[in-house]
Amino acid sequence: MPAQAQVASTKVYNTGKAIEKPLIMSRFIEMQSARSVPEVMFTDTKGKQISLKQYKGKLVLVNLWATWCAPCIKEIPQMENIRQVNKNNDLVVVPISIDEESDKVQAFLERHELGHYQTWLDPKKTIDQIMPADVVPATYVFDGSGNLVGFLRGYLDWGDKEVQPYLEKLTAKYAKR
């Protein structure tokens, strides 16, 4: 049984004035206070233990997804595009599959011609220690110190032309925090 979600509650700093959002980002919540989160471990598709702490100094978009989630299939190529566009910037995309049968994730990606997509695995939903994993897709945003600063639950067209400039503003505001 996964741990009950403990939405981050320790306020670390006031995030200041929210960045003006384009209409496409209207459901994205930029939090008024950054919140610290516990360190939790995940595995990559090769079984190696990893955590978000390795991305200090970067804005991190954690994208929760699952093989049984139809909108996730649409979002994955968009997230990969964001990753590629920002590979030389202080923004990283970390996809995390919450499939309980994680051994089937790679085959699923290959079946959908997404075999190159690098994802982390969380079959025990340890992410619930940081934020609820009851909606997919969902994207959570962490500052350069690993504090939760924003989120969007549900599908978004991340390929919209107004998304990248907004992400650049978030990166400028939060990556080096």
Side-chain angles (χ1 to χ4, degrees):
M1 194 108 178
Q4 187 67 3
Q6 302 171 353
V7 178
S9 61
T10 305
K11 295 178 183 179
V12 180
Y13 63 88
N14 184 304
T15 60
K17 186 175 191 268
I19 298 170
E20 187 175 333
K21 297 184 280 193
L23 185 58
I24 187 73
M25 298 298 295
S26 64
R27 291 183 303 109
F28 176 76
I29 305 297
E30 182 181 356
M31 298 166 62
Q32 292 179 337
S33 296
R35 299 183 183 261
S36 65
V37 298
E39 182 174 12
V40 294
M41 300 303 290
F42 305 98
T43 57
D44 63 16
T45 53
K46 294 175 180 51
K48 179 182 168 198
Q49 290 271 311
I50 43 186
S51 81
L52 295 175
K53 299 294 181 196
Q54 71 190 52
Y55 296 115
K56 188 156 181 56
K58 304 223 180 242
L59 184 77
V60 179
L61 275 66
V62 169
N63 181 249
L64 298 184
W65 71 279
T67 58
W68 43 264
C69 164
C72 295
I73 297 168
K74 287 175 61 178
E75 220 175 60
I76 287 172
Q78 297 166 2
M79 283 293 171
E80 179 60 18
N81 186 58
I82 289 170
R83 183 190 330 217
Q84 293 303 320
V85 166
N86 292 285
K87 65 183 170 189
N88 296 319
N89 299 335
D90 287 331
L91 182 149
V92 293
V93 175
V94 177
I96 300 178
S97 164
I98 61 166
D99 284 279
E100 291 176 10
E101 296 181 67
S102 59
D103 56 329
K104 297 181 179 175
V105 170
Q106 192 60 41
F108 169 84
L109 290 171
E110 288 171 16
R111 191 169 55 254
H112 289 280
E113 299 180 5
L114 300 165
H116 63 283
Y117 196 56
Q118 299 169 8
T119 188
W120 292 4
L121 307 171
D122 189 18
K124 293 185 168 68
K125 294 188 180 75
T126 55
I127 195 76
D128 263 339
Q129 295 175 36
I130 298 175
M131 60 207 141
D134 59 345
V135 172
V136 288
T139 303
Y140 295 88
V141 180
F142 297 85
D143 69 11
S145 294
N147 301 303
L148 183 63
V149 295
F151 62 91
L152 185 138
R153 292 167 42 98
Y155 174 79
L156 177 79
D157 178 3
W158 292 94
D160 185 280
K161 64 181 174 51
E162 294 186 355
V163 170
Q164 179 62 30
Y166 183 72
L167 292 176
E168 289 169 6
K169 291 175 186 171
L170 282 175
T171 302
K173 182 174 180 178
Y174 292 112
K176 300 299 181 189
R177 294 289 307 223

